[in-house]
Structure formats: structure tokens, C-alpha cells
Amino acid sequence: MSVLQRYFMSEIVRSVLFALLAFLSLFAFFDLMGEMQSVGRNGYQIQHAMLFVLLGMPGYVYELMPIATLIGTIYTLAQFASRSEFTIMRVSSLSTMMAAKILIKIGLLFVCVTLLFGELLAPKSSEMAQKVRLQAQGLSVSQQFRSGLWAKDQIRAAGLDGAVIGTRFFNAQSITSAGQLESVRLYELDGEFHLAKIITAETGDYLGKNTWQLNDVTETVFADGKTQRDITAPLAIRKSAKETLVSEITPEILSVLFSDPDRMSAYDLLAYTRHLEANNQRSEQYQIAFWKKLVFPLSVFVMMAMALPFAYLHFRAGGVSLKIFAGIMIGVCFLLVNNLFAHLGLLNSWPPFFTAAFPSFFFLSLAVTALYMVERR
């Protein structure tokens, strides 16, 4: 690593960390103020609110890293320009291409940090934050529907590997913070979509390897695949204390129903997308979120490319502050366009990769155009 590259890296890393810390402090304050209205209710105390806000910070690190990189890089390059350091570097044979290569190498560090937070830390911390709130309030996880949560999977002849012989609709009224299902109902249909079996259970515990243990089970079997349309169809009703169930549905899949796709890891999004496609369900929202997860860390390079033209701009007064303000506006616009395209792509059925990648390509083209213009000057 050259002396010039080490100098660039030390200055940019310091500036990016400062900008990121400032943003995190601001968002933490707003989140804590938002949680104060729940403090004192159902055992939810100030320490729980502070822990909830703290566990939400990795998610903000992931979301704010491109903007922090943009502002930190602009600030560093603006300081170089105001002290005429960048001019001296250019006179000493530092070309635009060489400066871009230095920024790309530094950007790799921030891309790795963004991937680390987006794939490992943020999903886990978001899940822990929800558990902290639920356990403190003594509540269960449930959907905002009276019927509880629903999922769908396929019934196979031999566990998970045999031929598909039917369809199962999975319903649970709620999930406790420990992951136990409450008031479970299973509706099993045969290959001709006739109701074949209804299974109810008081609770359900996950044993691992796609196996559930149902407790206090009542199983109603409709003979020969007949349904209530034929009131003369004989029924078999069996009760048991415990039964095991092999299903494609896992706690990870159920947790997706309550999770924000933008806070999930790419691995979980891919697994859930495949599950939806296997059951002939719409998966566009999760496909777009999956591609955004892959493209978003690369936006760090786009933001550094947007920052490079600022090194060639010189102002007599207020230069650094004006450039930082411009960087904040560019970062906010990028996030707005990125989120807007996700919704537009979902509404208009655009290809998921195009929906996720277009904002980054658009801002990259703007950066290249701006760099070309300032170089010509």
C-alpha cells in the first residue's frame, strides 16, 4: 500500500466513522423518543426501551453506510481541495483514474462492513429486539388479523423427498417469544384439492430438521377425499396427546411473515422466495428485496464515485460546508429513489434485478458525467 493510499484511507475512514456516528446518534434519539410512549405499560421499562433501540442500530449501520461513505469522502476530498493538497497531488502525476482506483480499494472495506451488518448482525439484532419487547410486555407474536398467521406447503409421500400428493394450509393463532405455536390448525387437501384432513393442536414445538411436535391433537379425517358437500361421508376423529409432523414450514419461514424484507438476510430471502415459488405463491416483493440486498452494498462504490468530482471544485468561501450539504442531499435522493423504485417495480411487475439495480446505475452515470464535466474544465 502506497503512502498516498494510506493517507487517503486514514482520512476517509475517520470522516466516514464520524458521519456514521452522528447519524446513529440522531436516529437513536428519535427511536428512543418514539419508545417512551410505551414505557411503563405491561412491564416495559426504560431499560427495555434502551436495549430495543440499541439492538436496532446494526440495521441503521447497514442502511446509512452509503450516505456516511458519501459524506465522509466528500468532506475528506473537500479538505484536500481547500488546503490545495489535491492540486499538489495532481501536479505530482495523480490522474483521475489513479484517484478512482484508490477510492475503489478503500470502498472495498466499507462494502465488506455493509455486507457483515446486512447479512449477519442486522437480521439477528432485529429479531432479538422484537423478542426483548415481547418478553418485557408478556405478549405473543401475532399478525394483525383475527385469523392469525397462515402459510402453505406441500404434502409429500415420503417426508420432504417424495412425490407431491397434496397441499397443506398451516394456521396458528400466535407465536410466543420462545417460538412456540399456539392454537394450531392444519387443513390438508388431496391431489384433487378435496379436503382430506383437519388437524388441530393446542401448541406446536419445533424439534429441528423440519419436524414439529403437536400437543393435544385432534385429527378429523374425511374418508375417500370427500368433503362436507357429501354429508353422508363417514368421518374418523382421533385424539392424541402428541404427534409429529414433517413439514417444509420452519420457524425461519414463519418469522418472515412478521419481518421487514429489507431487514432480512439475502439467504433468508432466497429460501423464502423458493418456498413461495414451490407453492405457486407470489414472490415479487421478496425477489426485489433479495436483489436489493445484493446490489445495495455495491452502492458504496457509487457514492464514492459521486464524491470524486467534488475534489475538483473550488469555492472561495463556505466550500466545505456547501459540499457536505450537497452530499447529504445526494444521499437522501439516492435512498428515496431506491425505495421508490422498489414500490414501482412491485406495482408494475418490473424485473426484480432491474428494479433493484437501476437507481445505482443511474447515480453512477450521473457521477461519471459530473467527473467528465469537471475534468474538461
Side-chain angles (χ1 to χ4, degrees), residues 330-348:
I330 293 173
V332 171
C333 289
F334 173 76
L335 290 183
L336 290 177
V337 172
N338 203 29
N339 293 329
L340 177 62
F341 255 75
H343 294 291
L344 290 177
L346 186 62
L347 291 174
N348 297 286

Side-chain angles (χ1 to χ4, degrees), residues 188-197 220-230 232-236:
E188 297 187 356
L189 284 68
D190 60 20
E192 298 179 355
F193 294 98
H194 295 144
L195 184 60
K197 187 183 298 184
T220 303
V221 180
F222 294 84
D224 300 326
K226 298 179 180 179
T227 66
Q228 294 95 325
R229 292 178 298 175
D230 184 0
T232 64
L235 301 177

Side-chain angles (χ1 to χ4, degrees), residues 326-374:
I328 294 175
M329 292 297 101
I330 293 173
V332 171
C333 289
F334 173 76
L335 290 183
L336 290 177
V337 172
N338 203 29
N339 293 329
L340 177 62
F341 255 75
H343 294 291
L344 290 177
L346 186 62
L347 291 174
N348 297 286
S349 300
W350 291 342
F353 176 76
F354 169 80
T355 302
F358 180 80
S360 295
F361 282 114
F362 175 72
F363 276 83
L364 181 61
S365 64
L366 291 181
V368 173
T369 302
L371 190 59
Y372 175 76
M373 292 177 63
V374 296

